[in-house]
Amino acid sequence: MEKEIKTIGVLTSGGDAPGMNAAIRAVVRKAIANGVSVKGIKKGYQGLLNEEIVDMEKRDVSDIIQRGGTILGTARCMEFKTEEGQQKGAEICRKHGIDGIVVIGGDGSYRGAQALSKHGINTIGIPGTIDLDIACTDYTIGFDTAINTAMDAIDKVRDTSSSHERCSIIEVMGRNAGYIALWCGVANGAEDILLPEKYNFNEQDIINNIINNRKRGKTHHIIINAEGIGHSTSMARRIEAATGIETRATILGYMQRGGNPTCKDRFYASLMGAYAADIICQGKTNRVVAQKNGDITDYDIDEALSMTKSIPEYQYQVSRELSK
Ligand code: ADP
Ligand code: F6P
């Protein structure tokens, strides 16, 4: 029989992502509408272990839907990767009357949720990461804002790059995944797009491309490099030495994780948060919310963590053909 849910907790974990606040707001308001009390757990699993737990009412999530970051704070917590840490987390939940937790974060955060579920605390995950690297879902909260922020920044670098007839290597985030690089590479009309999933580490191809483009009269050469490949600064030095063309590296960094969420991030975060609240209130556990083919659905966390995802081949082919 499914456990009766009277009180749930909500936490954000791992790297923050724009739209997490919209998800928190939706979880709180939908759970309360379902007759369930909500407690906010600050700073991810670290805050759970430190018992940083506060009651949340509908009004506590007013005026946050438009804000970047997460009002609950987030953290990476090594202790929670241990059996003792997970056991302690479950005991703290029982002490505070928390029957289940909605965890907003990435794959790592789901592993924590999976462990809590095994210890008798119901858990539901919501995909919150700018990296889009969660296999079970077509959409992760924060990706849309991050690519738009990066796209605007890359446009600006391109202006100055053209004026100086330079080559620019612009490094975008994504951990080991190339989705931000792929989307920005296409949207910014980059001449080269380097994805960890595809890159063959043959710098001579890039050098030849730069020289040929310059011969054809192109005044700039934009290379979007994914964080998973990295080393943009040393790559710039080598390319400049080989081509004789001034080459600069720009690492966009944490600006990609900040800022007001786009409409799309607010909308899907609201839907996913509401959906998570509904299924946790029904007594479901060890599930993760996903968006598949336009619909909001949910998967078993064990199944979700065993899925793999790759760069769509057609998108990759188009990105290569349009950059030539
Ligand atoms: P993300 O959730 O964005 O993938 P991390 O991989 O850093 O980010 O994971 C966030 C947090 O989730 C970790 O700091 C840790 O507290 C928890 N976590 C990660 N992996 C595990 C695991 N194998 N078991 C339990 N908790 C984990
Ligand atoms: O997962 C989001 C992300 O910003 C990645 O793109 C990046 O690799 C990582 O987090 C950086 O993490 P940290 O905040 O620990 O430096």
Side-chain angles (χ1 to χ4, degrees), residues 5-320:
I5 304 296
K6 291 190 182 137
T7 301
I8 62 159
V10 56
L11 62 80
T12 48
S13 168
D16 65 345
M20 280 184 164
N21 282 328
I24 295 168
R25 172 179 176 271
V27 170
V28 171
R29 295 205 170 158
K30 195 71 166 79
I32 292 173
N34 291 342
V36 166
S37 304
V38 186
K39 290 180 191 275
I41 300 164
K42 298 196 169 166
K43 299 176 203 153
Y45 295 116
Q46 191 61 59
L48 175 64
L49 297 183
N50 295 342
E51 297 189 53
E52 295 183 61
I53 300 170
V54 293
D55 290 333
M56 293 191 89
E57 301 296 339
K58 282 188 174 182
R59 294 279 72 80
D60 293 323
V61 289
S62 297
D63 199 27
I64 65 165
I65 194 166
Q66 77 284 11
R67 288 199 224 151
T70 156
I71 58 157
L72 291 174
T74 185
R76 303 202 200 263
C77 171
M78 289 312 125
E79 191 184 347
F80 209 74
K81 291 189 178 181
T82 66
E83 173 60 30
E84 297 74 40
Q86 295 156 9
Q87 180 77 43
K88 184 176 163 192
E91 277 159 19
I92 290 168
C93 286
R94 281 187 270 276
K95 176 178 161 191
H96 287 263
I98 295 173
D99 306 305
I101 298 186
V102 174
V103 173
I104 307 166
D107 276 348
S109 303
Y110 296 166
R111 291 189 193 280
Q114 188 183 36
L116 269 181
S117 184
K118 289 200 179 100
H119 286 284
I121 304 301
N122 285 14
T123 52
I124 304 291
I126 296 180
T129 168
I130 64 166
D131 302 335
L132 196 72
D133 60 349
I134 300 178
C136 69
T137 182
D138 296 339
Y139 192 78
T140 63
I141 297 166
F143 177 71
D144 191 59
T145 307
I147 52 175
N148 279 290
T149 301
M151 184 185 73
D152 288 346
I154 295 163
D155 279 345
K156 293 183 169 84
V157 176
R158 182 183 174 130
D159 288 345
T160 167
S161 200
S162 296
S163 304
H164 287 263
E165 300 196 2
R166 282 175 176 157
C167 169
S168 277
I169 303 175
I170 304 166
E171 187 173 311
V172 296
M173 272 188 169
R175 206 186 285 257
N176 299 317
Y179 298 100
I180 298 177
L182 174 72
W183 278 66
C184 289
V186 172
N188 291 96
E191 277 68 31
D192 278 294
I193 307 168
L194 312 184
L195 310 178
E197 297 88 344
K198 302 283 186 184
Y199 187 47
N200 63 6
F201 290 90
N202 184 355
E203 242 164 59
Q204 194 56 47
D205 285 349
I206 303 171
I207 291 164
N208 294 345
N209 203 14
I210 295 169
I211 293 170
N212 289 337
N213 279 339
R214 192 49 62 102
K215 280 187 193 149
R216 284 167 42 219
K218 275 208 176 188
T219 53
H220 64 264
H221 191 103
I222 302 292
I223 302 169
I224 304 298
N225 185 28
E227 173 189 18
I229 296 169
H231 302 288
S232 297
T233 307
S234 55
M235 199 186 282
R237 273 199 298 271
R238 288 191 297 274
I239 287 176
E240 180 166 311
T243 60
I245 294 168
E246 270 191 322
T247 303
R248 297 282 192 270
T250 304
I251 298 169
L252 294 185
Y254 291 98
M255 67 179 294
Q256 294 161 96
R257 286 221 309 241
N260 298 349
T262 58
C263 180
K264 193 169 176 180
D265 272 330
R266 296 180 202 191
F267 182 77
Y268 281 119
S270 299
L271 286 191
M272 287 179 164
Y275 188 100
D278 279 343
I279 62 175
I280 202 165
C281 292
Q282 288 160 12
K284 284 198 185 182
T285 187
N286 203 49
R287 309 289 298 178
V288 54
V289 177
Q291 193 229 59
K292 268 286 167 202
N293 307 319
D295 290 329
I296 307 296
T297 183
D298 57 292
Y299 290 92
D300 183 84
I301 293 187
D302 302 11
E303 185 192 354
L305 288 173
S306 70
M307 293 180 184
T308 54
K309 187 176 190 177
S310 53
I311 295 284
E313 201 49 39
Y314 185 69
Q315 293 180 13
Y316 177 62
Q317 290 308 329
V318 169
S319 76
R320 289 182 64 80

